[in-house]
Amino acid sequence: NAGVTQTPKFQVLKTGQSMTLQCAQDMNHEYMSWYRQDPGMGLRLIHYSVGAGITDQGEVPNGYNVSRSTTEDFPLRLLSAAPSQTSVYFCASSGSGAEQFFGPGTRLTVL
Amino acid sequence: TQLLEQSPQFLSIQEGENLTVYCNSSSVFSSLQWYRQEPGEGPVLLVTVVTGGEVKKLKRLTFQFGDARKDSSLHITAAQPGDTGLYLCAGKRKMDSNYQLIWGAGTKLIIKP
């Protein structure tokens, strides 16, 4: 059981570039979410999904897209990276118990 | 505006001392979770408290949920260097047909040997 996996672990982008952060879980969890973590601000929800084919916006969705074609995968797309998107990104999944299982994170720097 | 206020934001103490971290809100939560996050890793769940007034113990860590289910505290007795990390609280509340997790900003704890 790998739990929640994220790739890449580190990424540097130039302003305007696009990229996809990958997230996969092997626990058959219906609920998946993406957070960004910035110093002093805790975890902020970007997008979430309650099951395959269903996604919704969280607290800070602007500049990000998601899709959920399978239960296992929940990629996060940055369409045109901006310096304000420099952050650490965490993917999480949860089952019926609401405990969130987090991936190891992706540290993104946008120059 | 932070819906879930954690205090202190930062705490550095000597090994063996006691400490308490607080998590306060004006909202009522159906449950409250405490997570610990170590550098370079994602948060890991420590405990979930559900009932108002509930107290849970995890070795030297004691978690309490307020009677009104609006606040919680984490008390560590005889802190050890291994307790170093970022402690996050998250309150769960119902929103439409789903639930919402409200996160505190975290308490960064450093235990010096």
Side-chain angles (χ1 to χ4, degrees):
Chain A
N1 237 6
V4 179
T5 58
Q6 287 184 242
T7 57
K9 197 155 178 65
F10 300 95
Q11 183 71 49
V12 178
L13 292 177
K14 294 181 180 177
T15 296
Q17 286 185 315
S18 63
M19 78 158 296
T20 299
L21 308 186
Q22 301 291 344
C23 173
Q25 52 95 6
D26 61 0
M27 297 174 282
N28 204 32
H29 286 164
E30 291 295 327
Y31 189 94
M32 295 186 74
S33 52
W34 275 102
Y35 293 91
R36 59 178 291 172
Q37 187 175 37
D38 302 291
M41 300 190 74
L43 291 164
R44 291 187 290 168
L45 184 65
I46 304 170
H47 285 285
Y48 66 96
S49 168
V50 298
I54 307 169
T55 63
D56 210 342
Q57 296 181 351
E59 182 186 353
V60 287
N62 292 340
Y64 308 94
N65 276 356
V66 291
S67 59
R68 185 96 181 269
S69 55
T70 67
T71 299
E72 294 78 19
D73 300 298
F74 191 43
L76 177 73
R77 277 183 286 278
L78 281 72
L79 304 175
S80 178
S84 61
Q85 293 179 303
T86 293
S87 187
V88 182
Y89 291 85
F90 287 99
C91 177
S93 73
S94 64
S96 56
E99 174 186 355
Q100 302 265 304
F101 292 85
F102 285 86
T106 294
R107 188 174 293 273
L108 175 68
T109 301
V110 183
L111 303 174
Chain B
T1 303
Q2 198 76 32
L3 295 179
L4 200 51
E5 298 285 344
Q6 270 190 255
S7 61
Q9 289 186 359
F10 179 78
L11 188 59
S12 178
I13 62 173
Q14 291 294 138
E15 180 177 0
E17 293 183 17
N18 302 331
L19 67 109
T20 303
V21 175
Y22 299 93
C23 185
N24 295 301
S25 176
S26 56
S27 298
V28 176
F29 297 109
S30 58
S31 64
L32 193 134
Q33 302 171 349
W34 283 93
Y35 290 78
R36 181 167 66 208
Q37 183 179 16
E38 299 192 16
E41 299 181 9
V44 175
L45 182 70
L46 294 173
V47 79
T48 301
V49 285
V50 180
T51 308
E54 182 178 3
V55 176
K56 280 192 173 177
K57 292 194 174 184
L58 193 66
K59 296 182 181 177
R60 294 174 293 99
L61 278 62
T62 302
F63 304 85
Q64 184 161 9
F65 203 12
D67 291 340
R69 290 185 287 126
K70 293 182 179 181
D71 54 83
S72 181
S73 64
L74 157 60
H75 182 79
I76 301 180
T77 304
Q80 303 292 311
D83 296 327
T84 292
L86 179 68
Y87 289 80
L88 296 158
C89 62
K92 178 184 171 185
R93 64 182 187 188
K94 199 94 165 74
M95 186 179 71
D96 300 325
S97 58
N98 293 313
Y99 67 86
Q100 182 185 33
L101 268 185
I102 307 296
W103 291 87
T107 295
K108 187 170 183 179
L109 177 62
I110 295 176
I111 310 300
K112 295 175 284 189

